């Protein structure tokens, strides 16, 4: 399998003969919050997909889907606007943290990457992307195909740093977090109506088939431990309440029904992959129902506001609309959503930390 590189800027690396020693030291710098099963080693964490796990790749693209400016990052270390669509850390950071690998997962296109960053995991995700190849084209971001091409390039760089044997070990034993589908449903299908030839059942089947092919290709490139998040109740995020929920800003039930239909098909595709590729681990993680419970019972989880985001009015502000002229609320941790589309770091932690404990054993 041969890939040509996408036409985007590449980071430059300085390789060091002590990279292996640095890598081993890094594994001890973060205290793991989750106990791994016996004889299980996870050397790195990688992320593919959309803005939920984009840690800054869109900073280097010609797109309006950006967030490398305040107030994004207000709760990140140093209050830096890194390109994460959040007030702080995003799920891939939290996953790496609770596994004891490292505190944050950098973007692959980050020009300041060091060799040791590559050895413990990077994010290839791009805000605005999706399983549908049309979705990223509509907003000029990295497609999943582009992300795979960068991963192919990454593996080549890793072999230069660590050698063939160590590289193969890292690729085969790391966790691959895949998060996509929301932008396909909310934007490509319902908002832009760019897939008029499909009804909802046909489009969700198309999405699931695209997801299947992506995971098969990732497996063919050496990945074995894949964790795939379901679509959330996308009709209940603040922007979709505003755009499609009527005057009362109710949840857009059509969006939610599409998400649930897609999730059932995605789960089925993952079971099929598990049957046909027995040495692979394809773990489906339901985030739809846990997030819906948080939205319906925010006080149970310590949140005060769930119908709007912290940034500006919280009804529509996202990406370039969430900026210095739309100041954030005083306490993001009391909100489920940071902007009108993305959860706060605290909401992510509420969802992700229990998931790791529940599903980690399935990756052995």
């Amino acid at each position: 399998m041969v890939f040509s590189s996408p036409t985007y800027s590449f980071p430059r690396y300085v390789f060091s003969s002590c990279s292996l020693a640095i890598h081993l030291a890094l594994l001890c710098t973060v205290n793991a919050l989750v106990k791994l099963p016996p004889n299980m080693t996870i050397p790195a964490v990688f992320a593919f997909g959309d803005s939920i796990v984009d840690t800054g790749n869109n900073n280097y693209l010609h797109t309006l889907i950006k967030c490398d400016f305040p107030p994004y990052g207000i709760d990140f270390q140093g209050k830096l606007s890194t390109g994460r669509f959040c007030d702080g850390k995003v799920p891939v950071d939290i996953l790496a943290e609770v596994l004891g690998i490292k505190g944050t997962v950098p973007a692959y296109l980050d020009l300041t990457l060091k060799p040791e960053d590559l050895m413990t995991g990077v994010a290839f995700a791009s805000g605005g992307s999706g399983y549908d190849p049309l979705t990223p084209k509509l907003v000029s971001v990295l497609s999943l195909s582009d992300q795979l091409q960068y991963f192919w390039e990454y593996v080549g760089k890793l072999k230069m740093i660590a050698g063939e044997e160590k590289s193969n070990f890292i690729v085969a034993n790391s966790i691959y977090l895949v998060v996509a589908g929301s932008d396909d449903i909310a934007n490509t299908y319902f908002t832009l109506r760019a897939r008029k030839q499909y009804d909802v059942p046909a489009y969700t089947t198309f999405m699931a088939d695209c997801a299947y092919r992506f995971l098969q290709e990732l497996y063919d490139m050496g990945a074995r431990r894949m964790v795939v998040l379901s679509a959330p109740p996308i009709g209940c995020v603040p922007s979709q309440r505003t755009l499609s929920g009527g005057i009362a800003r109710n949840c857009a039930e059509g969006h939610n029904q599409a998400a649930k239909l897609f999730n059932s098909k995605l789960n089925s595709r993952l079971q099929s992959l598990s049957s046909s590729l027995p040495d692979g681990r394809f773990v489906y993680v339901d985030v739809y129902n846990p997030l819906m419970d948080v939205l319906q019972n925010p006080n149970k989880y310590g949140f005060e506001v769930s119908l709007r985001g912290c940034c500006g009015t919280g009804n529509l502000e996202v990406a370039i609309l969430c900026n210095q002229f739309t100041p954030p609320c005083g306490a993001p941790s009391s909100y489920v959503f940071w902007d009108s589309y993305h959860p706060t770091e605290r909401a992510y932690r509420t969802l992700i930390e229990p998931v790791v404990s529940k599903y980690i054993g399935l990756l052995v």
Side-chain angles (χ1 to χ4, degrees):
M1 184 181 299
V2 178
F3 293 103
S4 60
S5 297
T7 55
Y8 301 111
S9 304
F10 295 119
R12 297 284 186 264
Y13 305 103
V14 177
F15 300 116
S16 167
S17 60
C18 64
S19 293
L20 281 175
I22 294 174
H23 170 61
L24 294 174
L26 282 172
L27 291 178
C28 302
T29 59
V30 180
N31 292 323
L33 300 180
V34 173
K35 185 176 181 180
L36 298 181
N39 302 319
M40 184 181 190
T41 300
I42 302 173
V45 173
F46 300 96
F48 293 84
D50 59 23
S51 57
I52 300 301
V53 285
D54 182 357
T55 59
N57 285 310
N58 278 18
N59 298 352
Y60 303 92
L61 307 181
H62 297 293
T63 178
L64 293 177
I65 312 302
K66 289 178 180 285
C67 59
D68 54 340
F69 43 79
Y72 284 98
I74 191 172
D75 292 317
F76 196 76
Q77 53 198 38
K79 297 186 180 297
L80 296 175
S81 303
T82 60
R84 289 168 170 82
F85 291 80
C86 190
D87 61 306
K89 294 183 179 182
V90 294
V92 67
D93 299 314
I94 297 168
L95 176 61
E97 177 188 319
V98 299
L99 291 175
I101 296 173
K102 56 185 176 182
T104 58
V105 177
Y108 178 66
L109 296 184
D110 186 341
L111 298 176
T112 66
L113 274 187
K114 299 179 178 63
E116 54 266 29
D117 294 323
L118 297 182
M119 297 183 70
T120 49
V122 292
F124 299 92
S126 181
S129 196
Y131 290 119
D132 181 348
L134 178 60
T135 299
K137 288 182 180 179
L138 294 172
V139 288
S140 301
V141 299
L142 298 179
S143 67
L144 287 178
S145 178
D146 293 333
Q147 294 174 38
L148 281 177
Q149 291 180 44
Y150 275 127
F151 180 64
W152 184 257
E153 177 189 87
Y154 158 82
V155 173
K157 294 182 182 296
L158 186 62
K159 289 178 180 178
M160 293 175 62
I161 298 170
E164 187 89 19
E165 183 178 352
K166 181 67 176 179
S167 296
N168 290 342
F169 178 84
I170 293 173
V171 170
N173 290 279
S174 296
I175 289 181
Y176 298 80
L177 182 61
V178 181
V179 186
S182 295
D183 291 305
D184 298 321
I185 294 170
N187 299 330
T188 303
Y189 191 81
F190 279 106
T191 301
L192 300 176
R193 311 286 178 178
R195 287 295 191 183
K196 296 179 181 179
Q197 72 269 35
Y198 295 101
D199 58 14
V200 169
Y203 187 62
T204 52
T205 295
F206 171 68
M207 288 173 60
D209 289 342
C210 290
Y212 180 95
R213 288 191 293 271
F214 168 77
L215 294 167
Q216 174 75 68
E217 289 185 57
L218 190 54
Y219 174 91
D220 290 342
M221 297 171 71
R224 291 296 180 268
R225 294 171 169 171
M226 285 164 256
V227 176
V228 186
L229 268 57
S230 74
I234 191 64
C236 294
V237 305
S239 63
Q240 301 311 306
R241 286 178 178 272
T242 301
L243 295 171
S244 304
I247 296 176
R249 296 185 68 251
N250 296 315
C251 292
E253 287 306 319
H255 294 56
N256 284 351
Q257 290 302 317
K260 288 192 287 187
L261 188 56
F262 166 68
N263 288 341
S264 67
K265 295 173 181 179
L266 177 64
N267 191 11
S268 177
R269 299 300 191 281
L270 292 180
Q271 292 178 28
S272 177
L273 283 167
S274 296
S275 297
S276 61
L277 303 169
D279 63 331
R281 298 292 180 266
F282 302 88
V283 177
Y284 171 83
V285 176
D286 170 32
V287 295
Y288 184 100
N289 290 299
L291 180 55
M292 182 63 85
D293 191 47
V294 171
L295 295 177
Q296 292 175 338
N297 305 285
N299 294 336
K300 183 172 79 171
Y301 297 91
F303 295 103
E304 297 176 11
V305 184
S306 63
L307 302 185
R308 57 187 175 85
C310 170
C311 185
T313 66
N315 295 331
L316 272 176
E317 292 88 345
V318 63
I320 60 172
L321 297 180
C322 175
N323 53 55
Q324 60 181 327
F325 301 108
T326 55
C329 62
S333 63
S334 67
Y335 283 64
V336 176
F337 291 98
W338 160 249
D339 57 24
S340 70
Y341 201 86
H342 305 95
T344 57
E345 177 183 334
R346 182 163 177 269
Y348 281 138
R349 289 188 179 279
T350 300
L351 296 170
I352 298 301
E353 290 180 359
V355 159
V356 180
S357 299
K358 179 178 179 181
Y359 292 98
I360 193 68
L362 299 178
L363 294 169
V364 179

